[in-house]
Amino acid sequence: MPEPPSPAPCCMPASGTGPIRAEPVALTGRPAATDRMVLLPGGEFLMGTDDSEGFPDDGEGPVRAVRLAPFRIDTCAVRNDEFAAFVADTGHVTDAERLDWSYVFAGFLPAALRRGARRPERTPWWCAVAGAAWDRPEGPGSDLAGRGDHPVVHVSWYDAAAYAAWAGKRLPTEAEWEYAARGGLEQRRYPWGDELDPDGEHRCNIWRGTFPTKNTAADGYRGTAPVHAFEPNGFGLYNTSGNVWEWCGDWWSTKRGAAVNPTGPAEGSAKVIRGGSHMCHASYCNRYRVAARSANSPDSSSGHTGFRCALDVS
């Protein structure tokens, strides 16, 4: 069982074992649907944080000015129904299906599947479940009934990039993702401000209770929430804190990138993920902050990782 890439990404295990593959090439002749995207003007924003609650070893800081060209980005993570249309049209086989297993949170499994399941030493709340995949999120016997509008999970970076290419789009750069996630607020901890639960109101889907033994689901959800759950940020984006981690286009690095339209290093072994998930909890990981970042190997998958797409403005 491979260990997570550095840094240990809170609740994210690494499952992929294959070699680095070529990135999918965007399909030609397919117009990208923009009805569920927002057009953002770009310009200069302050990326990163020097927040005392941050993780300096993750390369969150220093705060630096970054300038972006205009771009479009999905208001929501890609839904199960949308991914199903992609699979039906292309016959795409996800990495979880190719490997014939993916990571599922132990608390979502019946005893028969938990018993004897392989578990990463550093994150033992995950079980390697044979047959778990995007359309069987908890493994054999599970399905997507009632979750068509939930974010697709158990998708690797390669799966996300393949979907984006099919849709005539691409994955957002990390800088684009953070700019969009901030919703126009400067250097705030969350998309809505600095308080996690302002006036006692839950604004995101994260672990509530004692991790990893008891989730009170006080925010309304034990697992994933619908992609439109909670109020959007100032740019109209939903769930940029919590719900599911989201793949970005960049290879992981803790070094400071370019000041204009950064795209990350030319190569690497792990891809950036942003946003945190319903598995994040302040007792060990508060990476649901908009400046927080982590990474995973590009063919890894789990029950709390999805993505949204971006599009260049011509």
Side-chain angles (χ1 to χ4, degrees):
M1 180 71 64
E3 284 294 302
S6 180
C10 75
C11 49
M12 174 70 68
S15 58
T17 58
I20 300 299
R21 306 198 294 273
E23 299 184 12
V25 177
L27 302 185
T28 58
R30 180 186 179 88
T34 60
D35 55 315
R36 292 186 179 134
M37 307 186 85
V38 291
L39 173 61
L40 299 182
E44 189 171 278
F45 82 107
L46 295 179
M47 184 173 180
T49 186
D50 297 316
D51 192 338
S52 61
E53 289 195 8
F55 297 94
D57 290 346
D58 289 358
E60 292 184 13
V63 175
R64 64 274 189 196
V66 171
R67 179 169 291 276
L68 297 174
F71 65 99
R72 295 182 187 272
I73 191 166
D74 290 343
T75 57
C76 301
V78 172
R79 301 172 300 169
N80 284 313
D81 283 348
E82 293 169 314
F83 199 80
F86 159 62
V87 170
D89 189 44
T90 64
H92 180 81
V93 178
T94 63
D95 278 318
E97 293 168 298
R98 180 180 61 83
L99 295 170
D100 194 34
W101 67 277
S102 188
Y103 279 117
V104 181
F105 175 59
F108 295 162
L109 295 171
L113 286 179
R114 286 199 309 272
R115 193 177 302 117
R118 294 181 301 156
R119 302 191 185 204
E121 182 178 349
R122 296 173 67 183
T123 53
W125 44 84
W126 288 107
C127 292
V129 177
W134 72 273
D135 56 349
R136 301 181 300 278
E138 290 78 50
S142 65
D143 57 36
L144 297 177
R147 289 186 278 186
D149 63 346
H150 285 226
V152 64
V153 293
H154 295 294
V155 286
S156 70
W157 183 92
Y158 290 116
D159 299 326
Y163 175 96
W166 169 79
K169 304 177 184 180
R170 60 174 173 80
L171 296 179
T173 67
E174 181 178 14
E176 289 173 336
W177 191 97
E178 184 173 325
Y179 167 81
R182 289 186 176 279
L185 298 181
E186 183 173 299
Q187 285 294 292
R188 298 299 185 184
R189 191 170 285 165
Y190 309 109
W192 54 85
D194 287 328
E195 292 185 51
L196 178 61
D197 300 319
D199 298 323
E201 179 184 359
H202 297 309
R203 298 288 186 91
C204 62
N205 177 21
I206 58 176
W207 188 283
R208 308 283 182 172
T210 305
F211 188 87
T213 56
K214 182 177 178 57
N215 187 349
T216 66
D219 53 34
Y221 305 96
R222 289 186 66 239
T224 59
V227 296
H228 283 98
F230 306 99
E231 290 296 314
N233 70 8
F235 288 157
L237 274 69
Y238 293 83
N239 292 308
T240 54
S241 282
N243 212 22
V244 294
W245 284 100
E246 298 183 9
W247 291 109
C248 294
D250 307 37
W251 290 108
W252 169 264
S253 176
T254 57
K255 295 180 180 179
R256 182 171 178 170
V260 179
N261 297 320
T263 58
E267 58 185 9
S269 60
K271 288 286 187 176
V272 173
I273 50 175
R274 297 296 298 258
S277 81
H278 61 86
M279 295 281 293
C280 285
H281 186 264
S283 65
Y284 76 104
C285 165
N286 62 355
R287 288 185 176 91
Y288 40 82
R289 295 169 294 105
V290 288
R293 57 198 304 265
S294 197
N296 208 348
S297 54
D299 54 352
S300 290
S301 64
S302 64
H304 69 340
T305 304
F307 65 101
R308 74 181 72 210
C309 298
L311 181 64
D312 293 325
V313 176
S314 57

